[in-house]
Amino acid sequence: MARANDRVEALLQEYADLIAIRGGDAFKVRAYEKAARSVGGFPTDISTLDEKGLREIPNVGKSLADKIVEFLRTGHVPAVDEARAAVPAGVRELITIPGLGPRKAMVLHQELGISSVDQLLDAIHEERLRDLKGFGERTEENILHGISLMQKAGEGRILISSATDVAEQIVSDLSGLPGCKRCAYAGSLRRMRETIGDIDVLVAAERSEPFMEALAAAPYTAEVIGQGRKKTSVRTTTGLQVDLRVLPPASWGAGQQYFTGSKAHNIRVRELAVRHGLKLSEYGLFDAESDELIASATEEEIYARLGLPWIPPTLREDRGEVAAGLRGELPELVSEKDVRGDLHTHTDLTDGLSSLDDMVAAAADRGYAYYAVTDHAPNLYMQRMTEEKILAQRERVRELDRSHHGMRLLHGTELNIGPEGDLDWPDEFLAGFDLCVASVHSHFNQSRRELTRRLIRACENPYVAVIGHPTTRLIGKRPPLDADLDAVFEACARTGTALEVNSHPERLDLCDEDILRAKRYGVKFAVDSDAHSVTHLPYLRYGVGTAQRGWLTKDDVINAWPLTRLKRFLRPGGG
């Protein structure tokens, strides 16, 4: 079910890794990595393009376009197959460990004969890595942590974006069948968890067989795990398990509540039902003694009969939501429609894939009241930013301002927080921007004290309005920074610096638990897409879901504010 763009992106990234493992030219590695990102973010389905059309994609030349055409036609590229054959499969597995790059993986194989994660673990426990150049005790600790991250990510869980694509396709297909009264996904995906183990799909219908048969016969179904009258489980061609349950229409609300979970939330609600002399199941809320059906058609009815308001799925994690509901203190969560603009985006002036004009037009199409362009500053050296380039972009931003249905444009930059907390440009130059986002992009392995001070120094700069992707984590690939986040949260509250909820599905940074902690300090937040292409702007939905899981309201989110209030916040000392 994966898009052709996604499949080719994965292929090109794999080839880049294989070249790096074999000690190939760094420029060639970088070229394939850039091409992979360009293809993945390209808005058009590349399977509809010929060789000439493919060459219009940034960073894709004739040779690469020919390889893509061949891959889409045959499923193979000889150069990639040859590289795969030259590198032991175990070494390719090693580079999937967060923090262990291709060069170190090859050193481990050449020097110690390591070609599996188990062999690597044995070597670490025997302290054999410490004799290798470039390795040491800290390296061992980082690798062990990376293996732990990889194992957690590999427990059959995928990113929320990938699961959403599959779920929405299935819901769309089943909703079109005769007899379907309701159809929706439930489970951890409805609760907007950052990774998903399997997908639960619910159908309300009188007859279950047509829906079970349709899922089993779907082109994206690779295997039927189990098929019955009430439930069918399949595995998709991408290896994801999907569980379909068909409910009587009268039981829709009870089924939705039960199968959305979480387990801990359901236990808490069932305990409340027992105290009311009731019992709750996927079929309805019943009187415990007479078995009389009390409510089942909607979730709202069930919660109301228990003395609760409807509890949004993103809160159903047993984090106090039931008690808050009983007290009438549930927050009115921020929603995607509340977000008035995006404050962290990139163009092809640096590492984005779309032009400024295209990004602005796409933002206007989303109905935003304002929109910020924040290309990288010069200390991210690969972007080759200069003062002249950024000032020329500012002139173009000013020309485009108000030209798209009254949407206001903000000219900003994403600064790099250096090892000492220093920033790319002096304060007098930063004063010319409407908005400065500051992020850590390197030196991730500094000490806890150094990382904490580094982030706090950035917060203390009067021109920094937002700390971007604050922990720098990449889900399943890179661990969060080992910083004292409580000290950072306290500094943000003191200086009036917002923390970003980065909506990219590989980041979702801050995560929900960190948001909850930061909110207690009185911190404000910016829910941003960090879009590098027009196709990334819709990622905002995942950031909003994460913000909801952190109990945020629109008053907590600065880009849910009117522009006049936002501008007051963005002014030095205005937070």
Side-chain angles (χ1 to χ4, degrees), residues 483-541:
D484 181 349
L485 291 183
D486 287 287
V488 175
F489 298 158
E490 186 176 28
C492 285
R494 170 173 52 83
T495 61
T497 307
L499 287 169
E500 183 176 65
V501 181
N502 188 293
S503 300
H504 195 291
E506 292 184 359
R507 290 189 183 273
L508 295 179
D509 180 14
L510 288 173
C511 71
D512 55 353
E513 293 179 354
D514 290 338
I515 293 169
L516 280 163
R517 285 166 57 200
K519 180 178 167 71
R520 296 189 191 109
Y521 286 88
V523 174
K524 298 300 182 184
F525 302 84
V527 182
D528 302 321
S529 69
D530 193 5
H532 285 64
S533 164
V534 295
T535 61
H536 297 167
L537 290 171
Y539 285 162
L540 193 83
R541 66 188 294 194

Side-chain angles (χ1 to χ4, degrees), residues 150-406:
M150 182 183 71
Q151 290 172 338
K152 287 178 182 177
E155 293 171 353
R157 303 193 70 83
I158 65 171
L159 296 178
I160 184 174
S161 53
S162 300
T164 300
D165 289 344
V166 174
E168 290 182 344
Q169 179 67 61
I170 293 173
V171 168
S172 174
D173 291 347
L174 298 181
S175 295
L177 295 180
C180 181
K181 305 295 186 185
R182 302 285 296 272
C183 183
Y185 54 79
S188 58
L189 182 56
R190 188 176 179 222
R191 301 197 315 274
M192 298 294 282
R193 287 280 303 273
E194 62 194 32
T195 61
I196 308 300
D198 52 52
I199 295 174
D200 296 287
V201 176
L202 307 179
V203 167
E206 300 294 348
R207 296 181 59 243
S208 63
E209 292 83 1
F211 303 93
M212 305 301 190
E213 292 169 2
L215 181 62
Y220 40 75
T221 295
E223 174 189 10
V224 178
I225 302 171
Q227 188 168 358
R229 189 172 63 84
K230 295 181 180 179
K231 176 184 174 183
T232 289
S233 297
V234 304
R235 199 172 310 283
T236 69
T237 52
T238 57
L240 183 63
Q241 181 171 326
V242 178
D243 297 328
L244 169 64
R245 293 174 173 85
V246 179
L247 308 167
S251 299
W252 175 256
Q256 231 190 350
Q257 194 281 328
Y258 182 86
F259 290 112
T260 293
S262 67
K263 181 179 180 181
H265 172 82
N266 284 355
I267 290 172
R268 189 74 63 185
V269 174
R270 287 202 297 270
E271 289 173 348
L272 184 60
V274 169
R275 292 202 293 272
H276 282 79
L278 305 170
K279 59 182 180 181
L280 180 62
S281 74
E282 63 265 46
Y283 297 107
L285 185 65
F286 298 87
D287 184 280
E289 292 188 3
S290 67
D291 271 346
E292 177 189 357
L293 178 64
I294 306 297
S296 65
T298 68
E299 289 186 322
E300 288 83 354
E301 291 176 359
I302 291 168
Y303 281 113
R305 183 60 182 79
L306 297 173
L308 290 165
W310 179 77
I311 299 178
T314 45
L315 294 186
R316 300 181 196 176
E317 298 291 350
D318 193 29
R319 292 172 173 166
E321 68 277 5
V322 172
L326 291 171
R327 296 192 304 269
E329 297 176 359
L330 277 180
E332 186 175 343
L333 299 178
V334 65
S335 67
E336 193 170 358
K337 65 179 174 55
D338 291 326
V339 177
R340 297 170 182 250
D342 200 330
L343 301 182
H344 181 180
T345 68
H346 298 272
T347 75
D348 58 4
L349 183 63
T350 53
D351 60 345
L353 304 173
S354 302
S355 69
L356 171 63
D357 289 44
D358 287 346
M359 292 295 286
V360 169
D365 287 343
R366 291 179 60 81
Y368 287 147
Y370 48 82
Y371 175 74
V373 178
T374 56
D375 273 312
H376 288 288
N379 286 356
L380 199 61
Y381 297 111
M382 67 187 75
Q383 307 308 335
R384 299 177 182 175
M385 178 57 79
T386 65
E387 291 185 11
E388 291 75 20
K389 286 182 180 180
I390 202 76
L391 291 175
Q393 183 188 65
R394 182 176 299 166
E395 289 301 312
R396 180 58 181 156
V397 167
R398 300 297 184 237
E399 291 173 6
L400 291 171
D401 191 24
R402 291 188 183 276
S403 65
H404 290 78
H405 311 293

